[in-house]
Amino acid sequence: MMSEKSKLKKSRANWKEKAVKKGENERYLIKENKRIKKERDKYKDDLKRLKNQEKVGAIKNISTIPDKETIVYITLQLFLIARISFRGISRVLSVIGSYLGLSKTPCVQTIINWVTRLSMSRMKRISHKITEFSRDFICVIDISIGLGKILAVLLLDTRHHLLNKGAPMLENVHCVGVSVADTWTGETIADFLEKVIVVVGQPVSYLKDGGTELGKAARLLNDRGYSSFSIDDVSHIIANLLKHEYQEHPMFETFISACGKVSKKFKQSVLGCLVPPKVSTKARFMNLHRLVKWAEQLLKHSPKGGVPKDSLISKLRKAFDKLPECKTFISKFLRDADSLLKCQKVLKTKGFSQGTYKECQILVETIPERSAVRIGFENWMRKELSVAIELGLDKVGMPISSDCIESLFGVAKYHGTGEIKDANGIALRLPTFCGELTPEDAKNVLKISVKEQQNLTQSLPSLVKQRRKVLSNPGSLEDIQLCDTQKNIELIPESKKRVKNPLIHAISDSCHKIDVPFIALKKQNESFVEIETIEVAA
């Protein structure tokens, strides 16, 4: 039998053996970890060095921007095509500048100056653009209300629907006149249009909405010897017909009120996804069909018969207010609006011609013959058809939509402007959005000197500057009157002699004296070929 002492010695020997083995393993692991970490750090450093070498090599391989014109062209593309703000353009160029070879990124004010000079250069060289028209042009005119009233004049080729598919867009028009005033009357509009006509020539027609001032201006110009036809925009005609028919309808106010109450009950509820679309109170009948269509679709979610008390249909019915009482109004309005809107789409896309006239006659057959809406629309079509025949466009398609100028005002008001919608600032940039942007535009921007820009912009009143100067300085209200003495902007082409192209016949003194056959052309392989000759009666 082993003694206690021998047992203790044997136990200590086992412990020492285990400790030695354990120590050897831990020392080995420590050495391995150090080696692995050292190799890992080396690999990381090598990878980082290789990436830097690749980046430097890539930058060296990229050809640097050869001149300033390309920088200006890229900047204008970001503003006009990508629709990026001035500050956003500066930030984008700072990110990609090293890859483009930019040594210095243009600041915000430099970008603003380039856009302003683009307007100035386009107004200077508009006579060269007019030579692109192989026939007389149409003047698209309209007034937009901001902090001041802006009058704009655009030129549109009468052959637009022959050479292009779809309605006229901003790329297809040229801005030849911009002016700002506190108020516009028929006389002042006629005076401004006369200044434009003296420079660019007399249009064969004016394309406008149903505004009384614009109509009066066209009549005054006819009295002054500038005889031109007047074309009424199809969208405004349809909106006015619906307004005259339904604004005094006994259920109209009930319908509008019910839609407002339904909207309040739906918001912040489980039915929030069903809230009605927003419709502006101004020019309401331009988009009222969206609200009426929403009401029709909403009422279809409530079938006849009883439903469980806590169901969604029950909650929907509680929020209806008086909307179910308007079913007759809704169905009648949609009957008229749907037919007219189909006609509108056809006329905007194809233009007004004998073919589209017959197509619209079929579409309006769903409206009762004695309806004032149908009678008014058919009378308008007959009037515009006679104008198209006089202009020789009844087979080609006469432009009948002024959406291009509405789009121009919409873009200009919300792109490149701040919270204060300064009419002069908006008007100054209108020409930049018209026509296609080319590298030649960038070259022309650099030809505008600082002095030329200052001569134009320094004399303009600025609401932003007025606000900064007056709002934070009590007792300085009198300074507003001093600023009001400054003259508002007025942009028209500078050249007083229209550049004539031997391929373009002379502008007629009156649209009734056209005695030259209209040569219908189509674009083929970047050239124009004759496809049809339409005789126009004198």
Side-chain angles (χ1 to χ4, degrees):
M1 198 174 170
M2 295 181 65
S3 64
E4 294 293 331
K5 187 176 180 180
S6 61
K7 288 182 181 180
L8 182 60
K9 287 180 179 182
K10 188 175 181 180
S11 176
R12 289 180 64 185
N14 293 337
W15 173 80
K16 286 180 180 180
E17 186 179 349
K18 290 180 180 179
V20 170
K21 289 181 180 181
K22 186 176 180 181
E24 289 176 354
N25 291 334
E26 290 186 356
R27 283 189 293 272
Y28 174 77
L29 290 176
I30 290 172
K31 289 179 181 180
E32 284 297 304
N33 286 336
K34 286 182 179 180
R35 183 182 62 79
I36 292 171
K37 287 181 180 180
K38 187 176 180 180
E39 291 181 358
R40 182 197 63 187
D41 294 339
K42 183 178 180 298
Y43 291 143
K44 282 186 176 180
D45 292 338
D46 292 342
L47 181 61
K48 188 175 181 180
R49 186 177 66 258
L50 289 173
K51 284 184 177 180
N52 290 334
Q53 289 176 355
E54 289 179 0
K55 185 175 181 181
V56 172
I59 293 175
K60 288 182 179 179
N61 291 331
I62 295 175
S63 58
T64 58
I65 294 179
D67 50 33
K68 194 174 181 179
E69 292 176 12
T70 310
I71 304 175
V72 175
Y73 184 54
I74 293 173
T75 301
L76 294 177
Q77 283 183 312
L78 291 174
F79 179 75
L80 297 174
I81 300 175
R83 301 283 169 84
I84 302 176
S85 66
F86 295 124
R87 295 185 186 276
I89 293 172
S90 184
R91 287 193 292 268
V92 169
L93 291 177
S94 66
V95 173
I96 65 175
S98 59
Y99 297 95
L100 296 175
L102 289 178
S103 58
K104 184 180 179 181
T105 302
C107 68
V108 175
Q109 189 57 51
T110 299
I111 297 170
I112 293 174
N113 291 340
W114 287 345
V115 173
T116 302
R117 293 176 189 180
L118 177 60
S119 288
M120 297 173 63
S121 67
R122 282 188 167 177
M123 295 302 292
K124 273 188 172 185
R125 293 165 177 79
I126 191 63
S127 57
H128 298 285
K129 295 292 184 182
I130 298 174
T131 60
E132 298 174 2
F133 296 167
S134 64
R135 185 165 172 80
D136 293 344
F137 48 80
I138 294 174
C139 264
V140 187
I141 54 177
D142 198 6
I143 298 173
S144 179
I145 300 176
L147 295 177
K149 290 188 175 182
I150 308 170
L151 173 64
V153 184
L154 308 181
L155 295 191
L156 174 64
D157 196 340
T158 54
R159 307 176 308 150
H160 169 80
H161 289 290
L162 182 66
L163 305 176
N164 303 277
K165 291 184 179 180
M169 297 186 294
L170 292 179
E171 293 81 5
N172 309 122
V173 296
H174 301 291
C175 183
V176 293
V178 180
S179 185
V180 175
D182 295 332
T183 57
W184 285 103
T185 62
E187 290 78 8
T188 56
I189 295 173
D191 293 340
F192 180 73
L193 289 176
E194 188 172 356
K195 294 179 184 179
V196 175
I197 291 173
V198 169
V199 178
V200 302
Q202 181 181 339
V204 297
S205 181
Y206 300 105
L207 177 55
K208 57 182 181 55
D209 60 19
T212 55
E213 297 89 354
L214 297 177
K216 184 178 180 181
R219 292 192 297 271
L220 289 173
L221 287 173
N222 288 337
D223 296 339
R224 297 177 187 179
Y226 300 104
S227 299
S228 299
F229 291 104
S230 290
I231 304 173
D232 294 324
D233 172 59
V234 60
S235 300
H236 289 82
I237 287 294
I238 291 175
N240 286 332
L241 289 173
L242 294 174
K243 180 179 179 180
H244 293 153
E245 178 70 13
Y246 291 100
Q247 190 172 30
E248 302 300 328
H249 193 281
M251 295 303 297
F252 176 71
E253 292 297 334
T254 303
F255 173 76
I256 297 296
S257 176
C259 289
K261 292 178 180 178
V262 170
S263 178
K264 289 181 180 179
K265 292 179 181 179
F266 279 0
K267 289 178 179 178
Q268 308 299 329
S269 72
V270 69
L271 300 173
C273 63
L274 301 177
V275 293
K278 290 184 179 180
V279 176
S280 175
T281 55
K282 184 180 178 182
R284 173 182 283 163
F285 282 84
M286 294 285 286
N287 297 300
L288 186 62
H289 61 278
R290 298 177 183 173
L291 187 62
V292 181
K293 186 66 177 178
W294 163 85
E296 181 197 39
Q297 293 174 338
L298 188 69
L299 290 173
K300 289 181 179 179
H301 285 280
S302 176
K304 295 181 180 179
V307 294
K309 187 176 181 180
D310 297 329
S311 65
L312 285 178
I313 296 179
S314 177
K315 294 180 180 179
L316 183 67
R317 289 177 177 176
K318 290 179 182 178
F320 272 164
D321 194 65
K322 295 183 179 180
L323 200 60
E325 300 176 14
C326 306
K327 285 185 177 181
T328 304
F329 167 83
I330 292 171
S331 60
K332 184 180 178 183
F333 184 93
L334 288 179
R335 179 201 65 194
D336 295 347
D338 285 346
S339 298
L340 294 180
L341 290 175
K342 289 178 182 177
C343 294
Q344 175 180 293
K345 184 177 180 180
V346 170
L347 295 176
K348 283 185 177 182
T349 306
K350 302 178 182 179
F352 199 100
S353 63
Q354 291 182 355
T356 54
Y357 172 71
K358 294 177 181 178
E359 193 173 346
C360 290
Q361 280 185 317
I362 297 173
L363 290 173
V364 297
E365 288 180 354
T366 57
I367 305 175
E369 291 185 5
R370 296 184 180 181
S371 171
V373 173
R374 178 173 175 176
I375 294 172
F377 187 71
E378 289 178 339
N379 290 338
W380 171 81
M381 285 200 299
R382 283 191 288 269
K383 173 193 168 187
E384 300 304 333
L385 182 61
S386 65
V387 174
I389 293 173
E390 288 286 342
L391 296 178
L393 299 173
D394 56 314
K395 296 181 180 179
V396 176
M398 180 179 70
I400 200 71
S401 171
S402 64
D403 282 359
C404 54
I405 199 167
E406 300 288 350
S407 300
L408 176 62
F409 285 131
V411 172
K413 280 184 177 180
Y414 296 101
H415 185 48
T417 59
E419 294 181 2
I420 300 178
K421 307 300 180 184
D422 190 348
N424 285 288
I426 294 171
L428 187 60
R429 294 178 189 139
L430 287 181
T432 64
F433 296 101
C434 299
E436 295 183 358
L437 182 67
T438 63
E440 184 70 20
D441 288 319
K443 184 184 295 185
N444 294 333
V445 165
L446 297 176
K447 292 180 181 179
I448 303 295
S449 64
V450 176
K451 187 176 181 180
E452 287 181 271
Q453 182 181 346
Q454 289 177 346
N455 290 338
L456 175 64
T457 58
Q458 282 185 347
S459 61
L460 299 178
S462 172
L463 296 179
V464 176
K465 292 180 180 179
Q466 289 181 28
R467 181 182 179 88
R468 290 173 182 171
K469 185 176 181 180
V470 176
L471 189 61
S472 59
N473 297 309
S476 59
L477 288 176
E478 297 297 327
D479 293 340
I480 296 179
Q481 292 182 346
L482 297 176
C483 295
D484 283 345
T485 59
Q486 294 177 290
K487 188 178 179 181
N488 287 316
I489 192 172
E490 183 177 283
L491 283 177
I492 57 175
E494 292 183 2
S495 175
K496 294 186 178 180
K497 293 183 180 180
R498 182 177 180 186
V499 177
K500 293 184 179 180
N501 189 312
L503 298 178
I504 305 174
H505 66 79
I507 300 178
S508 58
D509 295 331
S510 172
C511 56
H512 296 284
K513 297 180 182 179
I514 298 175
D515 55 0
V516 180
F518 177 70
I519 308 300
L521 305 175
K522 70 177 180 180
K523 201 168 185 181
Q524 186 178 54
N525 298 327
E526 300 302 325
S527 61
F528 294 99
V529 296
E530 183 176 341
I531 60 171
E532 182 182 8
T533 300
I534 303 172
E535 295 294 336
V536 182

